[in-house]
Amino acid sequence: MRRAIGGDAEAYNRFLTAVAPHLRAMALRRCDQFGAGRSEAEDVTQEVLLAIHLKRGTWDPARPIGPWLSTIVRNKMIDGLRRRGRAVSVPIEDVIGTLEAVEAGEVTDKLDVENALRRLRDPQLSIVRSISLGGESVRDTAAKLGMSEGAVRVALHRALRALAAFHRGAIE
């Protein structure tokens, strides 16, 4: 790493190649320690490699590199847990009552869908169109609307609940 900071690109490449398995092992240990899924270790490893690249100038060559790397792994793991912790997850059991099965012959035509969607206001309308009708991901929709993923999930849940209530009222 010292040579890499000095501008030796080959040394930097060798360093990253050599350190990646160690970072992955540290990330796996942190996943186990914090109760995160082992699949998250690869995401953390990639984020750590990016952080090393972006912050390599902050490492003090007079100090050992191990603690610096360990701190980055820990911080990236915590960042991932915070993101996951803020994500709103709604179990299907909580909304199953609001979702009504549609028989194969009861396909709603476009006018009925548009009529139901008129009951929604933005951002719920945009979210339902994006995710439910457009097939976009929550992440892409959140980015497009300038919202957090959690806020998009909550708004989608509320919109679907409102549409289900409207649908139940319309067929009663």
Side-chain angles (χ1 to χ4, degrees):
M1 183 66 148
R2 285 180 185 89
R3 281 191 237 134
I5 290 174
D8 185 343
E10 181 60 35
Y12 186 54
N13 186 35
R14 283 192 314 270
F15 169 75
L16 291 177
T17 302
V19 80
H22 300 289
L23 297 173
R24 196 167 287 107
M26 282 194 276
L28 281 168
R29 280 193 305 276
R30 292 287 184 176
C31 284
D32 291 342
Q33 178 184 5
F34 290 120
R38 294 178 67 85
S39 62
E40 197 160 329
E42 189 58 37
D43 291 341
V44 170
T45 302
Q46 294 305 314
E47 288 183 31
V48 169
L49 287 168
L50 181 61
I52 289 170
H53 179 71
L54 296 174
K55 302 290 185 181
R56 64 185 179 264
T58 66
W59 174 62
D60 180 0
R63 303 186 68 139
I65 198 162
W68 184 74
L69 294 172
S70 182
T71 300
I72 294 172
V73 171
R74 185 196 74 220
N75 291 345
K76 291 302 176 184
M77 186 73 212
I78 290 170
D79 290 347
L81 292 171
R82 283 185 182 141
R83 278 193 305 273
R84 189 182 69 190
R86 289 189 182 147
V88 176
S89 165
V90 180
I92 191 70
E93 294 81 25
D94 292 353
V95 295
I96 196 74
T98 64
L99 302 173
E100 300 212 6
V102 176
E103 296 291 326
E106 295 181 45
V107 178
T108 307
D109 67 3
K110 187 173 182 173
L111 292 176
D112 287 341
V113 171
E114 289 300 323
N115 185 34
L117 289 177
R118 271 186 271 167
R119 306 214 180 288
L120 299 176
R121 293 192 184 112
D122 273 329
Q124 288 181 343
L125 177 60
S126 297
I127 290 169
V128 169
R129 285 187 188 281
S130 177
I131 296 172
S132 298
L133 301 177
E136 291 187 41
S137 70
V138 170
R139 175 175 281 159
D140 292 341
T141 301
K144 181 171 65 176
L145 297 175
M147 298 172 67
S148 71
E149 291 179 39
V152 168
R153 285 187 183 95
V154 169
L156 177 63
H157 171 70
R158 290 178 179 162
L160 293 176
R161 192 171 56 202
L163 289 172
F166 166 70
H167 180 66
R168 278 194 307 273
I171 59 173
E172 289 176 355

